[in-house]
Amino acid sequence: MSDFFTATVLLATLASGIRLATPFLLAALGETLGQKSGVLNLGVEGVMLLGAYGAYYATLRTDSVLIGIGVGVLVGAFMGVVYGVVTLALKAEQGISGIGIFIFGLGISDLLFQKQVGTPTPIDGLGHFSIPVLGDLPLIGEALFQQNVLVYVAFLLVPALWFVINRTTFGLNVKAVGETPEAADSLGVSVDRTRYITIIVGNAMAGLAGAALALELAIFQQNLTNGHGFIAIALVYFGAWRPSGVMAGALVFGLIQAMVLQWKTLGIVVGTTASIVGMFPAVLTILVLVVVSRGTGAPAALTRPFERGH
Amino acid sequence: GDDDEGRDPDAPIRIAMVGPSASNDLAFTQSMVDSLDRLGQEHDIEVDITDGTFVIEDAAVAIRGYAEDGFDIVLAHGSQFGGSLSEIAPDYPDTYFAWGTSADTFGLENVYSYSVKADQGGYINGVMAGHLTESNIVGVVGPIEVGDIKAYIDGFANGVKSVDSAITVNINYIDSFSDVALAAEAAQAHVDAGADVLTGVSQMTVGATGVANDHGVIWFGSQSDQTPLGEDIVVASQIYNWDYQLGEIVDDLLAGVKNGRVITADFNNGGLSMAYNPGFALPSAVRAAADETEAGIRDGSISTGYE
Amino acid sequence: MTDTTNGEVLLELDGITKQFPGVLANDRVDFDVKSGEVHTLLGENGAGKSTLMKILYGLYNADEGEIRLRGNPVTISSPSDAIEQGIGMIHQHFMLVPTLTVAENVALGLPSSKRMLMDLTPVRQRIRELSDTYGLAVDPDSYIWQLAVGERQRVEILKAIYRDVSLLILDEPTSVLTPAEVDDLFETLRQMTRGGRGLVFISHKLHEVMALSDRITVLRLGRVTGRTTPAETSREDLAHMMVGRQVKLAPTRTDSTVGEARLTVRGLNVIGDRGTPAVTDLDIEVRSGEVVGIAGVSGNGQRELAEALSGLRPVASGEVIINGTDTTNRSPKEIRRLSVSYIPEERMRDGTVAEFSVAENLILTDHDLPPISRRGFLDFNQIKQVGSALVKRFTVKTPTLETPTSSLSGGNIQKLIIARELSGDPELLIAAQPTRGVDIGAAEYIHSVLMGQRAQGTAILLISEDLDEVMGLADRIAVMFEGRIMGVLDRAEATISRLGLLMAGVEEPNDSE
Amino acid sequence: MLIGAVLAAGLIGAVMLLVLGANPLTGYAALIDGAFGGTKNLANSALKAMPLLLVGAGITVAFRTGVINIGGEGQIIAGAILSTLLVLALPDVPRLILLPSAFLFGAIGGAIWGGMAGALKSYAGVNEILSTIMLNIIAVQILNLLLRGPLMDPGEIERGSRIPHTERLSGNADLPILPGGTRLHFGVIVAVVMAVVCYVLLFRTTQGLRLRASGHNPFASLYAGMSVKRNVVLAFMYSGAMCGLAGVTLVFGSEGHRLATDGGATTFTGAAGFNGIVAALFGGLHPLWTIPASFLFGALLVGANAMQREVQVPAALILGLNGLVVVFVVASLQTRVRLAQIASRLRGEEQADLSLSDEASSAEAGADTS
Ligand SMILES: Nc1ncnc2c1ncn2[C@@H]1O[C@H](COP(=O)(O)OP(=O)(O)OP(=O)(O)O)[C@@H](O)[C@H]1O
Ligand SMILES: Nc1ncnc2c1ncn2[C@@H]1O[C@H](COP(=O)(O)OP(=O)(O)OP(=O)(O)O)[C@@H](O)[C@H]1O
Ligand SMILES: [Mg+2]
Ligand SMILES: [Mg+2]
């Protein structure tokens, strides 16, 4: 038992938790932006899978991680366009079309993988990048500042997104459109255009999240994301539509998973108790929200299609 | 199944397979697909595959559908399908059913079950791991504690301990056959805990081998030859060849007898074998120890300690 | 019709027609506005006023007809087009984002001085200037959700003035303002016309129409039925033109016998949305057969009082006794079961389920009582009967009983609520702003119904900002200011000036009790 | 519209099949034959549709109350576990008692699991999307825990194969097979009847009116004397109970007659908790329309599997097409809804002429006496 509390193990857990948190965080931040403008996207998981496959395949073929990341983002953005057309132009029910996108992504990413790659072939994934000075700090340097580039990107996106939402005119439009679209519309703010942008950017971030996962693991597999996208959506609610809250949620989730894995590795939990520990993050998430109780704050127009004159 | 006169001996043997994961998963499902390919070189067969049916009820529909369509042999390639098979098989007494891995034929003549002594290859891998580890810490990334997986992992642990009982074997069941990310983190956790040798089973291990590649930690595989997952780090893999079991069933079919039984693959009957990665510079002493262990297992002088 | 101004023609609407399912909302309507004038659109509820203006502002597309601005035909297919043409609109229902501040609501849609970055400093600055110039006091950093309806209306007006439009549409801007605020607004509007702007004004308050308009166009059933000017007409004539019959503008009082206390409130304290006290140490009593009016500028705790009495808002301390039962902090259902009805102030939010049919809304509060409910099942024949009877009795204008309530005009929704709330012959009625937004014909009817209820012994607590209404209906008038009752006047002793002083928070030197 | 959407998805699918080197005509012929060809295939489609219908009809209750229940997966599992526990404990009770009790327990299990999400929302302010996703995870873990622990078939422990499933459950709890020589069983009847019950609940009862009112406008509902919080909990319980019933049919109507998993999240449910939502949406969130909608969706799933077997394309393609169909159908749905609205208004007008004519004209007359 005491093994767990050695500094090395704790720091390794921390590093692992941050790594595990990254795809959640990227996807959840993207979803936050979309939801802020009133669009719920339950298809994050599918977009992540397509982004992951795109990044993996591009890297496999070009040996360039950068191209891989680019492809992941583009695939996500493309799915954003599709989702935008479906939910904005065709006014489809958001929750369900999201589930459709999820199923589509799950199937097509696997299909492409089986047809184009077949046998899982490792790629050279993202190397770990040590931030000068910070990376050399004793103890925490390794845990916090020797991660892959996308980890830093994800955490930098937290203040960036906060800034966009709270300090730019675009952010003001986003909030207005997500809250009272008819008011925004009556002032000449284009509800659809604002939502197209948030959806496309949000999906691009989901694609990036998938890329982060595939490139960190340096492999692709059927259903690589394995529920990450759905948890990312839950984290938006956990974080009460605030980037910092979403980050806190992602970290809680990542750290608990890392801790559980360490416990299993070190033989602290064995056998069927593993299942109990496996539900720990879910239970904790609920408990945290019960205690903190900030269920309110959802954008009032979330999931509501906007049509002028209604 | 309504042709009481038996099958036409000149027609190709029609074999259907229902598998839980993708046909090219470098693991359990692929091992059977490969074996069917090899069977096709010996016999005139016609193969039909439904893969990726992880939903048990969908698999049941497919199994019944194949039986209904008059396939000679229907393979329910996944231990989770047994429950359904036990109810379907009695309805189609003329069809040969086989499933695995398992050791249960429900007392039915037309049901064969196949299992593997995966602990044997596990033990051999373990012996090599015991010799190769310098940190004296070895890690195992397992999916779920069932059947051949548990056999392999227990055999592996015993093999390691047979070299030096002081070596720590950390075993981590991640509770999923498919969660690659979790497998990667589990491998990372082992590395963080000091492991310099890793092994793992099932399709999720592709995540773990990525970490092993990153850290130059050596890797032992099972079920399929996992060399493609790490040319530099994979030492050896235990391979499942279902050829032996398939052969037995086809022989029964051709002889027109139904003799439902448990057919167990091991190193002696060729159902299991080792594949060494030619690209890995395995010290000859270690290779010799492995060969010696394999011989001992074959002649029964070495027990894997499983069961 | 006589031109009272000789400004150039700003706007011409030519033959505008708009058909909604089951309703011809506008039928070949011609309408124009000249620069420097106020042109009033008058008409009963559902006459098609808002529809015509929404077409002008690009919220609806006309089926037929042409819009010309300064003589040039224009296509206005979205609010952006309208804004580009210099048209502004104050909507009948608030168009504000509750979770944003006043300044943010004003800045929304406008270019920022720092391009992509938001810069609210100049916006706040200008809001303060405009507030001073036009007497529209509001804190630029308050969130909209924190504001009372009157303040919200001021923000709407600020939004329009801030944009410096050449044509401004005001769809019932005064329905939530106090008389003093209305005076201020009119002053603002006159300033705007002096600068050459044209205004379209919509209101159901005839004295306002007479005071402000240069020209008046009357709509009925989607058609123009009259054009006139204040000089040529009177309130009575206007009422006749609108409704098509003679209307009594002041309610007729009937006799009633005052009985036992139906509502007794002692030492009531209620906390408002902002977490600060909204009602403080309030005592009041309403007896059977009397109307007690609560006058006061909106936002002085009237809404919180009504909500606390009807169980929608917790009581912090004090006692509410209805028909001898202590109902302090009881649920709305328990309170309703004591034969209490409540006409809510925020009728769009609280009063109806917009997606429900007219029939469903008419039985909303009684749906689980016989005869509507039989062992938990709805009796649709009863619903139809009850619904038809109420629609008929209260002249709710709807194509069918199955019509979604959302497509009724504002005034008809109000009538629907009143029909429902009075259908059960309540023993206590809490009526908050019962005629706000209702046309004069309907207002007359509502007043007569209230008087009828009073005669039958219903105790009525009438909360209204409309002093004419309060003085016309109430037996006693309590004036609320900052959550307290400043004084209670008997009907006979109530004058506009005394009430006005109390409403402004000035205590009476000698208590009238 | 619906047909158009399916055709569009089919067209894209045909292109994909061509790319994969399969003949689309053969493929689609197999699909249609697999779904509708002969009584056996029709029966398989109905069987696949059955849990979708139960989940979907339940979902309509939640949606109409203004809450999104994406916790169907967890609620199915909860219903399955509770009914399985009952049958394991009392295997010898006669079928006439055991089977209804199993359904009752399943409904209770689902209702508890759903009710938790409702209570969390009503009384702790936890958003239901979050809580249901989490409750799904927890239910899967509990299922794994039980099947690998106390509920594991003793035979599996004996043989050492340790497959995570229960023993074959008592034959007294088998869902009776309906006459006709197919696999169609009693669960299908339960599903259809329960869909009708959902319709009656929503549109014919006072409770249903309260649920719908709360869904559309909680403020007005509160004002009208309803307890919105309780209605949210109730809606989740009804919805959950329906999912729980689906869980019962999945266990006692399965080929294996046991509760089984491989540890995966949707191994047992076959994602019925999600597909049921799709079926409900196909049915325009109306419990009765959900009946044909889920049958068509079930047929599509069954037919797709048949197509995969016939032309030997990866199962992944079917999944991808499945997603496309959902997207296309939902996208075209709005158009359909609008058409329906117009139609109903036109119909409404006719009704008005019949039933309301004197009221309407007198209302106008009242205002028209000049
Ligand atoms: N979106 C809509 N869909 C269907 N019918 C509508 C819609 N909007 C308005 N109507 C109908 O058109 C008619 C005119 O409505 P409008 O809102 O223009 O009336 P109004 O004159 O503004 O009345 P009020 O004084 O009550 O505001 C009404 O009968 C109303 O029911
Ligand atoms: N009309 C009625 N006749 C007999 N019993 C009733 C009636 N209405 C409700 N009940 C019973 O009273 C109890 C509470 O009813 P109800 O569900 O109406 O509560 P409620 O407070 O109105 O909540 P909500 O409206 O949110 O459902 C239930 O047991 C119900 O069966
Ligand atoms: Mg209007
Ligand atoms: Mg009630």
Side-chain angles (χ1 to χ4, degrees):
Chain A
M1 198 54 102
S2 60
D3 278 359
F4 182 73
F5 294 100
T6 63
T8 11
V9 173
L10 280 176
L11 286 169
T13 311
L14 182 63
S16 155
I18 290 172
R19 244 189 336 266
L20 282 168
T22 300
F24 290 133
L25 181 56
L26 282 168
L29 288 176
E31 178 75 7
T32 304
L33 183 65
Q35 291 202 8
K36 267 278 172 195
S37 74
V39 185
L40 169 73
N41 178 11
L42 285 183
V44 181
E45 174 93 357
V47 178
M48 279 179 78
L49 276 167
L50 290 168
Y53 176 71
Y56 165 79
Y57 185 68
T59 309
L60 184 69
R61 286 284 168 263
T62 65
D63 278 331
S64 159
V65 177
L66 267 183
I67 295 181
I69 293 175
V71 169
V73 170
L74 282 179
V75 167
F78 174 76
M79 292 309 291
V81 174
V82 172
Y83 192 63
V85 170
V86 169
T87 55
L88 300 179
L90 302 175
K91 311 246 179 276
E93 154 82 35
Q94 292 171 6
I96 310 305
S97 32
I99 290 180
I101 298 258
F102 155 57
I103 300 172
F104 174 77
L106 181 62
I108 295 303
S109 61
D110 185 23
L111 178 70
L112 290 172
F113 173 71
Q114 286 191 37
K115 284 293 147 186
Q116 296 186 314
V117 185
T119 303
T121 313
I123 51 173
D124 283 332
L126 285 166
H128 289 202
F129 174 75
S130 176
I131 296 182
V133 186
L134 291 177
D136 300 330
L137 289 175
L139 295 176
I140 59 161
E142 192 182 333
L144 300 181
F145 303 112
Q146 294 187 17
Q147 302 273 7
N148 75 51
V149 176
L150 289 180
V151 174
Y152 307 126
V153 169
F155 283 87
L156 286 177
L157 277 171
V158 174
L161 186 65
W162 177 88
F163 186 84
V164 168
I165 291 176
N166 293 300
R167 288 287 179 269
T168 66
T169 49
F170 174 71
L172 183 65
N173 292 351
V174 169
K175 283 187 285 187
V177 158
E179 201 68 38
T180 323
E182 32 299 310
D185 178 62
S186 78
L187 293 177
V189 174
S190 166
V191 175
D192 277 359
R193 205 185 59 169
T194 309
R195 286 183 173 174
Y196 267 114
I197 295 174
T198 59
I199 293 176
I200 292 171
V201 173
N203 277 275
M205 285 171 77
L208 181 63
L213 201 60
L215 295 177
E216 163 72 20
L217 298 170
I219 196 88
F220 185 82
Q221 251 259 328
Q222 185 243 355
N223 192 18
L224 183 84
T225 52
N226 206 35
H228 273 70
F230 284 102
I231 289 172
I233 295 166
L235 291 177
V236 177
Y237 292 88
F238 184 99
W241 295 270
R242 288 197 309 261
S244 57
V246 169
M247 179 180 78
L251 279 174
V252 166
F253 233 86
L255 284 172
I256 292 177
Q257 277 200 341
M259 214 160 67
V260 169
L261 279 167
Q262 289 282 5
W263 284 348
K264 286 193 194 172
T265 308
L266 300 174
I268 296 173
V269 295
V270 284
T272 46
T273 41
S275 294
I276 297 177
V277 180
M279 59 182 94
F280 202 58
V283 174
L284 191 88
T285 303
I286 292 178
L287 287 182
V288 166
L289 276 208
V290 168
V291 175
V292 181
S293 188
R294 41 180 177 187
T296 52
L302 189 59
T303 75
R304 212 177 72 208
F306 172 72
E307 242 179 309
R308 190 173 287 147
H310 277 265
Chain B
D2 37 12
D3 59 328
D4 288 328
E5 288 138 47
R7 52 181 303 280
D8 170 9
D10 293 332
I13 305 171
R14 298 180 66 212
I15 304 179
M17 166 190 166
V18 179
S21 49
S23 297
N24 48 10
D25 64 352
L26 271 192
F28 188 67
T29 303
Q30 182 169 358
S31 64
M32 180 58 87
V33 174
D34 292 347
S35 294
L36 284 169
D37 278 350
R38 287 191 291 273
L39 187 71
Q41 289 157 16
E42 280 173 42
H43 296 276
D44 181 14
I45 61 171
E46 180 198 315
V47 176
D48 205 314
I49 295 174
T50 299
D51 65 353
T53 47
F54 61 95
V55 177
I56 295 166
E57 220 28 45
D58 287 348
V61 170
I63 292 167
R64 192 177 275 280
Y66 281 133
E68 192 74 33
D69 287 350
F71 277 82
D72 300 308
I73 301 174
V74 178
L75 299 171
H77 189 53
S79 51
Q80 62 270 46
F81 304 149
S84 313
L85 190 63
S86 66
E87 309 268 327
I88 297 171
D91 295 347
Y92 301 93
D94 294 332
T95 308
Y96 288 71
F97 293 95
W99 74 294
T101 60
S102 162
D104 189 1
T105 62
F106 322 116
L108 295 170
E109 298 250 286
N110 61 334
V111 173
Y112 294 72
S113 80
Y114 45 86
S115 68
V116 286
K117 291 207 143 297
D119 49 308
Q120 296 187 340
Y123 195 87
I124 299 169
N125 276 350
V127 167
M128 285 186 275
H131 283 291
L132 290 172
T133 178
E134 285 167 12
S135 65
N136 275 2
I137 301 175
V138 173
V140 182
V141 182
I144 291 176
E145 204 173 347
V146 294
D148 61 314
I149 285 160
K150 183 170 166 47
Y152 172 77
I153 290 175
D154 287 2
F156 180 85
N158 293 341
V160 173
K161 298 278 184 186
S162 76
V163 177
D164 179 353
S165 60
I167 300 175
T168 309
V169 182
N170 289 327
I171 299 174
N172 189 339
Y173 283 103
I174 67 165
D175 272 330
S176 164
F177 283 102
S178 58
D179 193 333
V180 181
L182 217 56
E185 282 307 323
Q188 186 67 50
H190 284 306
V191 172
D192 291 341
D196 61 351
V197 176
L198 293 176
T199 189
V201 213
S202 93
Q203 57 271 31
M204 58 69 184
T205 54
V206 292
T209 52
V211 172
N213 274 315
D214 266 6
H215 293 270
V217 169
I218 58 179
W219 178 268
F220 289 93
S222 184
Q223 293 187 337
S224 271
D225 184 354
Q226 295 190 328
T227 303
L229 291 175
E231 310 277 342
D232 304 327
I233 51 148
V234 174
V235 180
S237 306
Q238 164 175 249
I239 305 181
Y240 293 2
N241 312 305
W242 307 104
D243 309 23
Y244 165 69
Q245 287 110 319
L246 287 175
E248 296 269 303
I249 299 167
V250 167
D251 287 348
D252 276 10
L253 174 78
L254 294 175
V257 292
K258 288 205 184 64
N259 199 358
R261 63 188 183 279
V262 182
I263 312 172
T264 303
D266 59 22
F267 274 84
N268 276 332
N269 61 29
L272 289 175
S273 60
M274 293 297 294
Y276 292 89
N277 174 8
F280 187 88
L282 183 62
S284 49
V286 179
R287 175 62 193 258
D291 290 341
E292 226 170 82
T293 308
E294 186 180 326
I297 287 173
R298 282 169 183 275
D299 66 23
S301 64
I302 292 179
S303 154
T304 66
Y306 176 70
E307 273 168 305
Chain C
M1 314 280 129
T2 324
D3 283 358
T4 51
T5 53
N6 37 22
E8 58 156 341
V9 177
L10 264 183
L11 164 80
E12 289 159 284
L13 296 176
D14 194 353
I16 301 289
T17 298
K18 176 74 184 176
Q19 172 84 52
F20 285 118
V23 182
L24 186 56
N26 288 154
D27 185 4
R28 287 160 288 158
V29 176
D30 299 334
F31 185 75
D32 65 14
V33 181
K34 298 195 174 94
S35 131
E37 76 163 349
V38 178
H39 192 161
T40 293
L41 255 185
L42 199 60
E44 58 187 330
N45 295 126
K49 306 178 294 291
S50 296
T51 303
L52 187 67
M53 291 301 108
K54 284 179 178 173
I55 289 170
L56 173 56
Y57 196 65
L59 289 167
Y60 294 146
N61 289 321
D63 300 334
E64 278 166 43
E66 189 176 70
I67 304 175
R68 284 191 297 274
L69 283 169
R70 296 190 177 86
N72 305 314
V74 289
T75 317
I76 299 180
S77 53
S78 72
S80 308
D81 293 346
I83 292 167
E84 216 163 276
Q85 301 286 354
I87 303 173
M89 179 159 175
I90 292 173
H91 302 263
Q92 186 169 4
H93 306 294
F94 289 126
M95 286 286 189
L96 295 168
V97 185
T99 50
L100 297 182
T101 64
V102 171
E104 286 172 325
N105 268 281
V106 170
L108 187 62
L110 290 175
S112 160
S113 54
K114 291 190 185 163
R115 289 158 179 275
M116 308 272 281
L117 298 189
M118 221 156 61
D119 185 13
L120 289 179
T121 320
V123 179
R124 284 193 200 95
Q125 179 83 35
R126 180 127 174 76
I127 290 177
R128 292 214 179 83
E129 285 168 22
L130 290 172
S131 301
D132 288 349
T133 320
Y134 294 104
L136 297 164
V138 54
D139 173 7
D141 291 317
S142 296
Y143 285 94
I144 300 296
W145 61 264
Q146 299 175 320
L147 302 181
V149 273
E151 293 175 287
R152 291 183 195 198
Q153 188 61 280
R154 272 178 244 154
V155 180
E156 288 284 21
I157 296 163
L158 266 175
K159 259 166 58 182
I161 300 176
Y162 194 99
R163 266 150 242 262
D164 195 22
V165 292
S166 56
L167 178 70
L168 180 61
I169 305 159
L170 299 111
D171 194 351
E172 301 195 31
T174 58
S175 60
V176 294
L177 297 182
T178 61
E181 286 172 327
V182 171
D183 289 345
D184 288 346
L185 173 66
F186 283 8
E187 191 41 48
T188 308
L189 298 181
R190 289 196 188 97
Q191 279 186 44
M192 291 180 75
T193 50
R194 257 175 255 136
R197 296 179 187 84
L199 304 184
V200 183
F201 180 71
I202 299 176
S203 171
H204 289 294
K205 298 181 184 168
L206 297 180
H207 63 269
E208 294 177 358
V209 172
M210 296 295 284
L212 186 70
S213 318
D214 296 303
R215 286 193 291 158
I216 299 166
T217 292
V218 181
L219 276 185
R220 198 146 71 81
L221 299 172
R223 239 168 285 159
V224 175
T225 54
R227 298 181 203 272
T228 182
T229 66
E232 294 169 351
T233 189
S234 67
R235 286 169 62 179
E236 285 70 21
D237 288 348
L238 283 179
H240 188 274
M241 267 207 258
M242 272 170 69
V243 184
R245 65 182 159 84
Q246 216 55 50
V247 178
K248 281 195 295 294
L249 293 176
T252 319
R253 295 179 57 82
T254 48
D255 289 338
S256 83
T257 24
V258 174
E260 80 278 24
R262 286 276 164 76
L263 169 70
T264 311
V265 177
R266 289 197 208 104
L268 184 72
N269 283 282
V270 181
I271 306 296
D273 287 341
R274 274 169 279 188
T276 53
V279 175
T280 313
D281 299 332
L282 186 136
D283 299 315
I284 204 159
E285 190 180 74
V286 187
R287 284 163 296 177
S288 149
E290 79 170 344
V291 176
V292 173
I294 301 250
V297 177
S298 130
N300 276 291
Q302 298 96 319
R303 181 165 60 89
E304 290 82 356
L305 170 65
E307 287 176 355
L309 296 183
S310 56
L312 289 170
R313 183 178 285 272
V315 170
S317 67
E319 220 180 7
V320 180
I321 293 164
I322 294 175
N323 272 342
T325 310
D326 185 346
T327 62
T328 318
N329 283 325
R330 292 298 180 81
S331 72
K333 178 176 178 172
E334 288 171 290
I335 293 174
R336 278 188 174 278
R337 290 290 179 261
L338 294 169
S339 191
V340 176
S341 282
Y342 172 37
I343 299 167
E345 178 179 346
E346 293 197 30
R347 58 174 184 256
M348 301 303 285
R349 194 189 77 164
D350 293 334
T352 56
V353 177
E355 294 84 352
F356 271 15
S357 69
V358 169
E360 281 174 315
N361 270 309
L362 282 170
I363 54 127
L364 198 62
T365 54
D366 288 338
H367 73 278
D368 56 353
L369 295 175
I372 306 295
S373 160
R374 281 188 294 125
R375 294 203 197 86
F377 286 86
L378 296 168
D379 183 333
F380 288 94
N381 283 329
Q382 281 294 335
I383 292 176
K384 199 171 228 172
Q385 276 176 31
V386 170
S388 313
L390 286 176
V391 162
K392 187 173 179 179
R393 191 174 135 212
F394 288 83
T395 63
V396 180
K397 206 185 281 172
T398 172
T400 74
L401 279 178
E402 313 305 322
T403 304
T405 306
S406 57
S407 60
L408 296 194
S409 77
N412 278 301
I413 293 176
Q414 178 79 335
K415 283 199 251 178
L416 187 160
I417 295 170
I418 288 170
R420 179 185 65 214
E421 294 301 315
L422 294 185
S423 62
D425 284 326
E427 295 187 10
L428 171 66
L429 171 67
I430 302 163
Q433 323 291 356
T435 56
R436 177 182 282 174
V438 161
D439 70 45
I440 42 166
E444 177 202 28
Y445 184 65
I446 290 169
H447 288 161
S448 73
V449 172
L450 291 181
M451 284 296 103
Q453 287 290 330
R454 169 174 164 275
Q456 285 175 36
T458 301
I460 300 176
L461 184 69
L462 171 71
I463 300 173
S464 174
E465 284 186 295
D466 182 342
L467 284 185
D468 290 338
E469 179 169 87
V470 179
M471 287 167 44
L473 297 178
D475 299 296
R476 290 184 294 139
I477 302 169
V479 179
M480 245 180 122
F481 177 74
E482 292 189 342
R484 295 172 192 276
I485 301 273
M486 297 300 296
V488 183
L489 302 181
D490 270 337
R491 174 182 164 71
E493 41 181 43
T495 59
I496 295 263
S497 60
R498 282 185 77 181
L499 290 174
L501 278 179
L502 288 169
M503 280 166 69
V506 181
E507 297 215 30
E508 299 228 310
N510 50 343
D511 207 317
S512 54
E513 303 282 307
Chain D
M1 282 310 126
L2 206 71
I3 307 284
V6 175
L7 283 183
L11 211 66
I12 296 187
V15 173
M16 287 183 174
L17 284 173
L18 276 175
V19 171
L20 292 172
N23 181 344
L25 289 180
T26 326
Y28 285 135
L31 186 148
I32 291 174
D33 183 60
F36 306 109
T39 43
K40 279 195 175 145
N41 292 346
L42 279 170
N44 279 340
S45 297
L47 281 173
K48 190 79 189 172
M50 173 192 61
L52 305 187
L53 174 55
L54 284 165
V55 174
I59 291 287
T60 62
V61 178
F63 264 83
R64 298 248 177 197
T65 310
V67 288
I68 302 175
N69 178 14
I70 51 179
E73 290 284 305
Q75 292 148 18
I76 292 173
I77 291 173
I81 289 177
L82 209 61
S83 53
T84 301
L85 284 175
L86 172 79
V87 173
L88 281 174
L90 304 168
D92 299 325
V93 172
R95 167 178 292 208
L96 270 179
I97 299 171
L98 189 58
L99 199 54
S101 313
F103 273 113
L104 181 68
F105 270 59
I108 292 173
I112 291 174
W113 214 246
M116 269 160 52
L120 282 167
K121 182 183 177 75
S122 279
Y123 302 108
V126 180
N127 180 283
E128 76 270 22
I129 293 192
L130 177 127
S131 64
T132 47
I133 289 176
M134 296 301 153
L135 284 168
N136 285 348
I137 297 176
I138 295 171
V140 170
Q141 293 291 352
I142 291 178
L143 180 69
N144 289 345
L145 175 75
L146 290 174
L147 289 181
R148 270 185 249 139
L151 294 191
M152 186 187 279
D153 181 358
E156 295 295 338
I157 299 169
E158 216 171 278
R159 286 186 296 273
S161 44
R162 304 186 59 82
I163 300 167
H165 60 203
T166 63
E167 64 193 51
R168 197 226 185 269
L169 296 165
S170 163
N172 287 352
D174 287 2
L175 284 174
I177 303 280
L178 301 179
T182 67
R183 298 275 314 146
L184 212 58
H185 56 66
F186 182 66
V188 177
I189 295 176
V190 173
V192 173
V193 168
M194 288 310 295
V196 176
V197 168
C198 283
Y199 163 74
V200 171
L201 170 72
L202 267 180
F203 297 105
R204 301 269 139 184
T205 68
T206 56
Q207 177 67 65
L209 184 105
R210 287 195 287 277
L211 294 178
R212 289 182 292 121
S214 307
H216 287 306
N217 185 347
F219 297 105
S221 308
L222 210 59
Y223 153 90
M226 305 169 189
S227 158
V228 173
K229 292 184 174 187
R230 203 173 69 192
N231 287 340
V232 164
V233 178
L234 279 176
F236 260 109
M237 288 179 70
Y238 290 132
S239 191
M242 292 290 288
C243 294
L245 292 177
V248 176
T249 63
L250 284 174
V251 175
F252 300 99
S254 70
E255 290 273 14
H257 294 284
R258 43 182 112 205
L259 183 53
T261 182
D262 70 355
T266 54
T267 328
F268 164 64
T269 62
F274 289 118
N275 286 335
I277 302 179
V278 177
L281 224 96
F282 281 13
L285 288 176
H286 193 290
L288 295 183
W289 281 111
T290 305
I291 299 173
S294 47
F295 177 74
L296 278 180
F297 195 51
L300 193 71
L301 296 177
V302 169
N305 282 339
M307 171 168 99
Q308 190 221 340
R309 278 203 296 280
E310 180 66 33
V311 295
Q312 291 286 294
V313 289
L317 171 73
I318 305 305
L319 210 56
L321 288 183
N322 196 340
L324 270 188
V325 172
V326 173
V327 173
F328 282 154
V329 170
V330 183
S332 66
L333 207 68
Q334 187 58 31
T335 328
R336 206 193 73 184
V337 167
R338 262 181 259 169
L339 289 179
Q341 272 170 0
I342 292 168
S344 87
R345 274 188 203 151
L346 294 177
R347 249 183 291 123
E349 265 177 69
E350 284 162 27
Q351 265 178 353
D353 290 342
L354 298 175
S355 66
L356 245 184
S357 49
D358 28 57
E359 281 83 3
S361 51
S362 69
E364 273 180 26
D368 212 70
T369 36
S370 65

